[in-house]
Amino acid sequence: MVPLDWAIATANLANCQRVLAERRGDLVLAHVALADLREAEAVLREGGHEVNADIVSGYVTLAESIVAELTS
């Protein structure tokens, strides 16, 4: 149960960081959020929590878009 709790908490924090990165135009924070979201998604998938992993996957897509936008 601990990995699930960690992954959900990490995904929530990273999603907040993603929003802040977008609002501030902060590329470094966007990269941090993206890395954490990817790691949380992987842990959720490894634990068989596909529904939660799919939700986090959507956040990963959003974070990738922000990184791409801030990089260009």
Side-chain angles (χ1 to χ4, degrees):
M1 190 66 150
V2 173
L4 172 62
D5 293 338
W6 174 88
I8 290 174
T10 299
N12 286 334
L13 174 60
N15 196 39
C16 290
Q17 291 171 324
R18 176 191 62 80
V19 171
L20 285 172
E22 183 175 29
R23 289 182 182 177
R24 293 180 178 175
D26 187 334
L27 181 58
V28 172
L29 187 57
H31 276 289
V32 170
L34 179 56
D36 288 349
L37 286 166
R38 285 177 174 161
E39 189 171 355
E41 180 188 5
V43 169
L44 289 166
R45 289 207 191 280
E46 288 170 11
H49 303 283
E50 295 299 319
V51 172
N52 290 328
D54 289 343
I55 292 168
V56 175
S57 177
Y59 298 149
V60 168
T61 301
L62 292 171
E64 289 171 339
S65 297
I66 293 166
V67 168
E69 181 180 317
L70 293 174
T71 302
S72 62

